[in-house]
Amino acid sequence: AQSVTQLGSHVSVSEGALVLLRCNYSSSVPPYLFWYVQYPNQGLQLLLKYTSAATLVKGINGFEAEFKKSETSFHLTKPSAHMSDAAEYFCAVDRAGGTSYGKLTFGQGTILTVHP
Amino acid sequence: EPEVTQTPSHQVTQMGQEVILRCVPISNHLYFYWYRQILGQKVEFLVSFYNNEISEKSEIFDDQFSVERPDGSNFTLKIRSTKLEDSAMYFCASRTGTANYGYTFGSGTRLTVV
């Protein structure tokens, strides 16, 4: 069984400040981990993914995340927030393995607000 | 960049009516999915589809739901007799042979049952 917990349903930062969105996962098998972003009235866009290669993963728009197995975490960071980063962010876990049919389990989402 | 296309973007239907949500996955993808997001709640897995059959379905995916890939390009979700609680955003997703590549999601269909 898999689960994802995102700490903080709302995060507010100033433009230019560090963005930190927290994600902890639980998985009985080695996980693949993903961050998706959803802008208002749009679909889910993949930001970055961890698929058992490098533990520090860089994604689009300056975001990165670090897989920490000992902490079962996959927190999302960006050094300097931009107004255009305002959106809802979802962490998700999948079962690893090439033969798996796969099934994403999502966290509840974190709404990021960026103020001037 | 290849996209997953969903139609319609919005659909309003009366309770008890049948609806069909349509998706065109990326052409070389092998695995297809439907997820839904009730307003204010998590994105939830509904069903996965591979090699022309359902590979896994959630508890939500009861006998009122069905999926089909009728012509090798479209992937549809049918809700036979809609209920008020079926109101949600429905996302189609597809991926290649391994999860390494991640899933590509469509922009969703917002279904409102009145």
Side-chain angles (χ1 to χ4, degrees), chain B residues 98-109:
Chain B
T98 69
N100 287 35
Y101 299 100
Y103 299 70
T104 302
F105 281 80
S107 54
T109 294

Side-chain angles (χ1 to χ4, degrees), chain A residues 44-87:
Chain A
L44 298 165
Q45 181 183 6
L46 180 66
L47 267 182
L48 50 77
K49 59 184 186 284
Y50 166 77
T51 55
S52 70
T55 56
L56 181 61
V57 181
K58 294 188 186 300
I60 62 171
N61 302 337
F63 284 93
E64 63 181 38
E66 186 171 9
F67 171 67
K68 292 188 177 180
K69 185 178 177 181
S70 60
E71 299 177 9
T72 61
S73 70
F74 190 57
H75 302 330
L76 181 71
T77 60
K78 181 173 180 178
S80 176
H82 192 271
M83 298 295 289
S84 61
D85 295 327

Side-chain angles (χ1 to χ4, degrees), chain B residues 32-45:
Chain B
F32 312 106
Y33 304 84
W34 284 100
Y35 289 79
R36 80 171 186 190
Q37 184 182 28
I38 295 172
L39 190 63
Q41 297 187 22
K42 289 186 185 187
V43 178
E44 304 171 286
F45 168 81

Side-chain angles (χ1 to χ4, degrees), chain A residues 4 32 34 36 38 42-44 46 49 51 90 94-95 98 100-104 106-108, chain B residues 31 33 35 37 42-43 45 48 50 55-56 91 95 97-103 105-107:
Chain A
V4 174
Y32 287 169
F34 304 84
Y36 283 88
Q38 185 180 31
Q42 294 189 26
L44 298 165
L46 180 66
K49 59 184 186 284
T51 55
F90 293 92
D94 191 8
R95 299 176 295 219
S100 167
Y101 294 125
K103 181 176 78 172
L104 285 176
F106 284 85
Q108 69 272 34
Chain B
Y31 297 85
Y33 304 84
Y35 289 79
Q37 184 182 28
K42 289 186 185 187
V43 178
F45 168 81
S48 58
Y50 170 73
S55 46
E56 186 171 352
F91 292 107
R95 68 171 177 87
T98 69
N100 287 35
Y101 299 100
Y103 299 70
F105 281 80
S107 54

Side-chain angles (χ1 to χ4, degrees), chain A residues 11-19 79-83 112-116:
Chain A
V11 170
S12 181
V13 300
S14 299
E15 193 173 18
L18 171 72
V19 175
S80 176
H82 192 271
M83 298 295 289
L112 175 66
T113 303
V114 182
H115 51 88

